[in-house]
Amino acid sequence: MDNKSRTNLFIHGLFVLYMYALIKIILFKFGSIDVTWLGMQLKESLTNPAHLIDRLESGNLVPFKEIATAIHVQTSHSLMNLYGNILIFIPLGFFIGLMSLNKRSTVSGAILKSFGVSLCLESSQILFAIGRFDVDDLILNASGGLLGYVILQMFVWLMRAIPIRPEMEIKE
């Protein structure tokens, strides 16, 4: 296996670990994962569509509502939620950029992929009845993914812009 293949395998392995941690933190809030209970919750949601609609309607469907509240109130919980939703998705932006370095990747693609992952997680909260759907989480998570992607792209640009010279020999 050559170095490039090993590097790709390493990056993809880290990505899998990151996704596991992301799911565990967002959906299970550091608690245990009970597959039997999840199956029962999913069955209940799928057999009772009104339950899904109620859960969706009880969430935040107004963009920037919770963000504005967090900025205005500034409790430790609201600020942790605000910054945490951004910070936890920054690595996703790194991975989006890293896994597409040799392909054409775009800022809009990074935003869409981050938004898509966030939408899957938010929708899972409704399906499994383990959280509250919040459109502001989608905005903050996509912003975090975008931030990570832009930081990586700036780093790559900087590394390409700086000429790498062999170390100068030190004469005694």
Side-chain angles (χ1 to χ4, degrees):
M1 184 181 282
D2 65 347
N3 279 342
K4 187 175 181 179
S5 296
R6 265 187 258 148
T7 301
N8 275 341
L9 183 62
F10 180 72
I11 289 170
H12 283 82
L14 285 178
F15 177 70
V16 168
L17 290 174
Y18 166 73
M19 289 303 295
Y20 173 78
L22 185 68
I23 290 167
K24 182 119 170 76
I25 292 167
I26 290 181
L27 296 183
F28 302 102
K29 313 296 187 242
F30 299 102
S32 63
I33 301 172
D34 184 346
V35 177
T36 305
W37 182 81
L38 286 174
M40 292 181 346
Q41 291 295 96
L42 180 60
K43 182 179 178 185
E44 173 65 26
S45 292
L46 295 177
T47 56
N48 187 358
H51 179 69
L52 286 173
I53 293 167
D54 288 344
R55 291 201 47 81
L56 180 61
E57 289 175 347
S58 70
N60 173 33
L61 301 175
V62 180
F64 302 103
K65 178 182 174 188
E66 295 295 326
I67 294 171
T69 300
I71 292 170
H72 179 71
V73 175
Q74 293 191 4
T75 65
S76 60
H77 179 267
S78 65
L79 292 175
M80 177 67 132
N81 184 53
L82 181 74
Y83 293 118
N85 274 305
I86 294 170
L87 292 173
I88 200 166
F89 268 71
I90 288 175
L92 181 63
F94 291 153
F95 283 115
I96 290 168
L98 284 172
M99 292 190 294
S100 62
L101 279 176
N102 296 331
K103 302 171 190 121
R104 184 153 174 87
S105 63
T106 62
V107 169
S108 60
I111 293 170
L112 285 173
K113 289 173 185 172
S114 297
F115 183 84
V117 169
S118 181
L119 183 60
C120 287
L121 292 169
E122 290 295 314
S123 298
S124 294
Q125 290 183 23
I126 295 171
L127 275 174
F128 295 111
I130 53 177
R132 183 174 166 262
F133 185 90
D134 189 344
V135 72
D136 286 348
D137 287 353
L138 296 173
I139 294 167
L140 295 168
N141 295 160
S143 298
L146 171 64
L147 185 59
Y149 179 81
V150 168
I151 290 169
L152 178 76
Q153 293 304 316
M154 288 173 37
F155 178 76
V156 168
W157 176 84
L158 188 61
M159 296 311 314
R160 289 180 179 157
I162 298 172
I164 299 174
R165 294 179 267 168
E167 301 250 326
M168 295 173 46
E169 289 182 35
I170 300 174
K171 296 182 183 178
E172 292 183 32

